[in-house]
Amino acid sequence: TGRRQAASVRQREVVVERFGGPQGRWSGGDVAILASGPSLTRADAALVRGWREEPREPGQPARRVIVVNTTYQIAPWADLLYACDQPWWVIHYPRIAREFLGELWTVSEGAREQFGIRWVMGRDQSGLSTDPSMIHTGKNSGYQAIGLAHLFGCRRIVLLGFDMAVGPDGRKHWHGDHPAGLGNGGYNRYNAWIRCMATLAQDLKRAGVEVVNASRRTALKCFRRDTLENALDELRRTGGDRDHDGAAAR
C-alpha cells in the first residue's frame, strides 16, 4: 500500500510538471458546463457562446465554458473538454484534434498516455474532493467536470444538459446513443448519479460555490433551477466585487 501511494504521488508530480496543476487555474471565474443530456440544444450552446464572448464590465469575473464528452461537437469554441473514459477518447480524438482548440482533461491514465491529455487523479467516491490535486468521480463525467471547475477556483457554475433522465423521445443524449462499446446511461445509472450529485451539492454550498441548473429538463433537484437566460443575466449583473484574476493557464 505504501509503495502504491508513493507511486501515485510521483505520477501526479510528473503530470503537473507536464501540464500545470488544476488548482486555481480560473480563480474566481464563472463557468458554464455543457453536458450531453437530451434537453441540450444548439440554441443553448449559442447563448452560452454569446455570454462568453461579449465584452465584460471592468472587474467582472472571467467567463469560461466546459463541455462534457460529445458536446464538443456543438461547442468546439469552448475553453475545455472533459471526458473520463479512454474508449471514448479513442473514438473521438481524431476529430477533436482537428476541431477543438481548448484544453483536454481526463481522469483516464490510458487516455493521458495515448493522446497527451491533461490529467487529474480521480477517486471513486461522492462529495467534493478537498485534495487540490484530485477530484471525486461520482460515477459520471458531468460530476467530474463540476469537481474540476471547483479545483480551478470557479465560484459560480451554470449547468446545461444535466438531465439525468431519458428524453420524451427516448433519447439519452442530445446526439443519440454513443457507438457500440460505450455506456449510454439508463434508469439505474441515473438514480446512482442523482444520489452522488446530492452529496456534491451540499459540499459545494458549504464551500461557497453557487450552482444553477439551467437544463431545459432535469430530474436533478439538488441545485437551484432557473432558465438559461436568467442564469446568464444574473452572472452579468453580479460578481464584480469578488476577488479573481480571471487568468487561464494554457
Side-chain angles (χ1 to χ4, degrees), residues 113-240:
E113 296 307 315
Q114 186 172 359
F115 302 114
I117 295 168
R118 289 172 167 85
W119 176 80
V120 61
M121 178 167 281
R123 176 178 290 162
D124 184 18
Q125 65 184 68
S126 59
L128 194 62
S129 172
T130 57
D131 182 332
S133 66
M134 177 184 299
I135 61 174
H136 292 169
T137 57
K139 304 185 185 302
N140 71 93
S141 288
Y143 185 107
Q144 293 156 38
I146 296 172
L148 194 63
H150 170 258
L151 281 191
F152 278 18
C154 294
R155 304 302 297 170
R156 298 188 298 180
I157 301 173
V158 173
L159 305 178
L160 284 169
F162 279 75
D163 295 32
M164 305 288 168
V166 175
D169 59 359
R171 292 193 304 169
K172 297 171 184 173
H173 306 96
W174 66 264
H175 51 77
D177 280 355
H178 289 300
L182 301 182
N184 281 294
Y187 292 107
N188 291 336
R189 287 190 176 185
Y190 293 144
N191 290 335
W193 295 353
I194 289 169
R195 288 194 298 271
C196 288
M197 283 286 189
T199 303
L200 179 63
Q202 295 172 1
D203 287 353
L204 287 165
K205 185 175 182 179
R206 282 191 288 266
V209 179
E210 303 172 29
V211 182
V212 176
N213 184 0
S215 304
R216 291 172 180 262
R217 292 183 302 273
T218 185
L220 199 57
K221 308 299 183 184
C222 55
F223 298 115
R224 179 165 65 89
R225 293 275 290 122
D226 209 336
T227 65
L228 176 58
E229 293 83 354
N230 286 347
L232 296 181
D233 281 344
E234 183 177 338
L235 296 183
R236 292 182 179 106
R237 291 193 305 268
T238 61

Side-chain angles (χ1 to χ4, degrees), residues 90-110:
V90 170
I91 292 170
H92 287 274
Y93 187 79
R95 179 171 176 176
I96 291 167
R98 293 193 307 269
E99 299 181 6
F100 191 80
L101 300 179
E103 295 184 358
L104 310 178
W105 282 79
T106 187
V107 292
S108 167
E109 296 175 22

Side-chain angles (χ1 to χ4, degrees), residues 31-37 40-49 51 64-72 74-78 80-82 141-142 145 157-162 174 215 228 232:
V31 63
I33 303 178
L34 281 61
S36 55
L40 184 72
T41 68
R42 293 180 183 273
D44 293 335
L47 280 176
V48 171
R49 184 177 190 178
W51 163 79
R64 308 295 183 190
V65 178
I66 295 174
V67 288
V68 179
N69 292 333
T70 311
T71 298
Y72 78 89
I74 59 171
W77 42 264
L80 186 149
L81 164 60
Y82 180 86
S141 288
I157 301 173
V158 173
L159 305 178
L160 284 169
F162 279 75
W174 66 264
S215 304
L228 176 58
L232 296 181

